[in-house]
Amino acid sequence: MPKSGASGAKIEEISYLRLNSIKCIVIMADVPGLNVLVNLSATEIHKLTDQIIARSKEVHDLVASVPLEKVSYMNTISPLAELEAYQFPMVQSCVFHRMVFTSNDIQKASMEAERRLDLHFSACRKREDVYRVIKAFADRGEWLGYEAKRYTQCLVEEFERNGVCLNPSKKNELESLGKQIEELSFQYIQNLKMDNSFLLLSEAELAGMPLQFIEILEKMEDGRVKVFLKSSNVTPILEHCKIRSTRRLIAVAYGQRCGKENLDILENLVQLRHKYARLLGFSNYAEFALQSRMVRTSEKVFQFLEDLSESLSDLAMEELNVLKDLKIKVDGDSHFGMEDLLYYMRRAEEQHLDLDSGEVKQYFPVNLVLSGILKFFQDLFGLKFQEIKDVEVWHETVCLFSVTDVSSSELLGYFYLDIFSSLNFLREGKYAHTCVLALQNGSLSSSGMRQIPVALLISQCLKQTDDNPVLLRFSEVVTLFHEFTHVVHHMCMRATFSRFSGLQVDADFIEIPSKLLENWCYQSISLKMMSGFYQDITKSVTTNMCTSLRRKRDLFSGLKLKQEILLCLMDQFIYSSENVNMLELLKHLHPKIMLGIPLLEGTNPASSFPQIAIGSEATCYSSIWSEAIAADIFASNFQEDLLNQHAGLQFRNKVLAPGGAKESLEILSDYLGREPTVRSFIESKTKNSL
């Protein structure tokens, strides 16, 4: 790192933690550029956490000590950027252990490390002394380039969103509001998790349900069965039960879970979030939540959702008429309610699709799926994946791969695959779902050294053997494909700053590549690459099966999307307006969006919609937004030539590579030559309609 006077020399000295100074930790020197530490003991996790916090405090103290009249990029911004690049793999080394290790001691140490690090970084983002120095440099406007300017502006915005400019009393109020919001959000989720409400139903009331479903339910002395109101019970009943009164009873009871208690909590949460946002100078919470997102404003969210809903109305009405006609044929009654939706969708699917999910599963042995996914991404994006043998990993089933560019042979990064459990049983304590973690972010130091990205893909499949092939449901194939796209996205980043790398990009943008690549899961040419009958892998899925899978995805997509839009609108209304009566809002919106179908009497989805309470508050629209933009990209650049590597490289270099170094909308507009539209999204949904 270049020196800049005495202070520059000091910054150089503390910008990097000399990894070999952590004497208790094994460094994987045989894997160049990999700074992630694996197989840490509980004691080592605690020690590393202490060292991360100490080094972070040292750098922040140093930046805070710079006189305001002497601020420069090298003594103010560069040390923080270098610190972020260094500490990210160290932090992840501490916290990823809780997701993959089964040792109780290691899991506890990892969770405690995450708690301590979160508290420390939260405190760092509120330091007035550090903010004053950064702001002084920002006000000078002496940029070293667009990305450095963007990075500095992000730092300023981050401090200001954490209340650093408030007076002491308002800071205390902001902190108090934050704690109340956290507690109420947790309580809302806990209420849903702990809810054990149930209905007692006779077997006659469950006519149409598969025998195996009835057999697993608890039997009562009077012959009735106990049906707990969990989605694993409710969805099958709404899809298969022939008795309409039972479906309605189940749907209403499910929609009433945690009713008054969670509604009271949500109303308080909304008001507290509005107060929190107003303290920071925003007019409402939605304005605060959308400030850093591609969409920017509530007005644009409403326009997007309402335009999309209107564009889908003709398609959705056609679909609803199909269901109503089917209902007349089945029970002679045209009255249609929400309790009928899933049931008649399932009946129509059985009539129009020749698709046996059990048969489909036989074509997706997990090892074949995985090798096909790797080949597909290598071919489309000009990459080479190579397994690295004899390296230290945390479980015998974990593999490490290097990623290189085919044309230049440049090493781009590494990824771990931890998708298997042990041979015959699941790893207790391992994270149970499929997801991707960034373990190390790509970045370029001020000395010109590039840190390469490292990712981890986690899943929980049984380990396949020659005698016992493990078969994936098609939905699991799609999920694995989707998540591996995040791995490739992470590998292809070329941003200078760690903050703009990997999975830390605009939340409205992060899912677009994965939503885009999901399209190949429904195309014959790519499905055949990752399928083969488990008893004879030379026999891949048939073209008819591929077509049926695509039709199943798009069947009744108008009605399904309108249901999502309804909840997204509710989310946006309550967080962009004051004192909204949620029940009255839903009673108004439901028939308007759902083509005249009223809200089920006595229900209020707001009481059991966790995303609106925590995680996606004011941003529920984002999933549909990502899907719409992905459809535009697919139709414009890939649909006519699915395996065109030139198109893949264009996407890799223009969309994946910049990361967060540019505005997401600017990236997409430059790539498409225009702003994205929803036209292709609508067309894709109508193409396979009934």
Side-chain angles (χ1 to χ4, degrees), residues 174-313:
L174 192 74
E175 185 172 351
S176 174
L177 287 170
K179 288 179 180 178
Q180 291 177 68
I181 289 168
E182 184 178 352
E183 290 168 2
L184 286 174
S185 301
F186 176 78
Q187 189 59 54
Y188 184 102
I189 300 301
Q190 280 299 108
N191 289 344
L192 287 173
K193 283 184 178 179
M194 301 303 292
D195 179 71
N196 284 317
S197 53
F198 62 87
L199 294 176
L200 296 176
L201 299 170
S202 67
E203 291 193 22
E205 290 175 301
L206 290 170
M209 297 306 298
L211 181 61
Q212 59 266 36
F213 178 88
I214 302 291
E215 287 177 341
I216 63 172
L217 300 175
E218 182 182 347
K219 304 290 191 300
M220 310 305 291
E221 291 183 1
D222 62 2
R224 292 184 296 174
V225 293
K226 182 183 286 188
V227 180
F228 285 98
L229 296 174
K230 304 295 182 184
S231 60
S232 57
N233 290 332
V234 171
T235 300
I237 290 174
L238 292 178
E239 286 184 337
H240 294 287
C241 183
K242 295 179 178 179
I243 311 302
R244 186 177 192 234
S245 59
T246 301
R247 297 199 304 271
R248 184 174 182 83
L249 185 67
I250 284 283
V252 170
Y254 190 65
Q256 291 176 334
R257 288 172 307 141
C258 308
K260 186 176 187 315
E261 187 174 5
N262 268 7
L263 285 174
D264 288 344
I265 289 174
L266 186 57
E267 286 174 359
N268 285 334
L269 268 175
V270 170
Q271 294 310 312
L272 290 171
R273 285 184 170 129
H274 282 317
K275 288 181 182 178
Y276 190 97
R278 285 196 297 269
L279 273 177
L280 294 171
F282 297 89
S283 59
N284 54 60
Y285 185 78
E287 186 178 294
F288 168 78
L290 300 175
Q291 181 193 30
S292 302
R293 286 177 172 256
M294 197 193 314
V295 76
R296 291 287 187 244
T297 67
S298 275
E299 290 75 19
K300 192 165 184 179
V301 174
F302 281 123
Q303 182 183 353
F304 167 70
L305 293 172
E306 289 167 356
D307 288 352
L308 183 58
S309 180
E310 180 63 27
S311 299
L312 288 166
S313 289

Side-chain angles (χ1 to χ4, degrees), residues 6-7 79 82 111 127 137 200 207 240 313 428 514 517 637 681:
S7 62
E82 303 280 359
M111 287 188 284
R127 286 188 57 165
F137 172 75
L200 296 176
H240 294 287
S313 289
E428 291 293 333
S514 289
L517 270 295
N637 290 36
F681 185 48

Side-chain angles (χ1 to χ4, degrees), residues 323 340-349 556 559-560:
L323 299 180
D340 299 314
L341 202 58
L342 288 180
Y343 181 78
Y344 287 101
M345 280 182 179
R346 191 58 181 255
R347 303 291 76 74
E349 182 182 304
F556 300 108
L559 285 169
K560 291 173 183 175

Side-chain angles (χ1 to χ4, degrees), residues 426-483:
L426 299 179
R427 272 155 61 192
E428 291 293 333
K430 180 186 175 185
Y431 186 69
H433 304 287
T434 303
C435 71
V436 171
L437 299 178
L439 297 183
Q440 180 170 301
N441 281 344
S443 62
L444 188 67
S445 73
S446 55
S447 64
M449 291 181 59
R450 176 159 286 280
Q451 177 170 273
I452 58 176
V454 181
L456 163 62
L457 174 57
I458 299 174
S459 193
Q460 186 77 297
C461 304
L462 290 174
K463 179 68 174 175
Q464 181 166 307
T465 65
D466 292 338
D467 299 328
N468 184 30
V470 175
L471 305 177
L472 297 180
R473 296 190 300 272
F474 183 68
S475 60
E476 294 172 322
V477 174
V478 176
T479 298
L480 195 59
F481 199 90
H482 175 107
E483 294 301 327

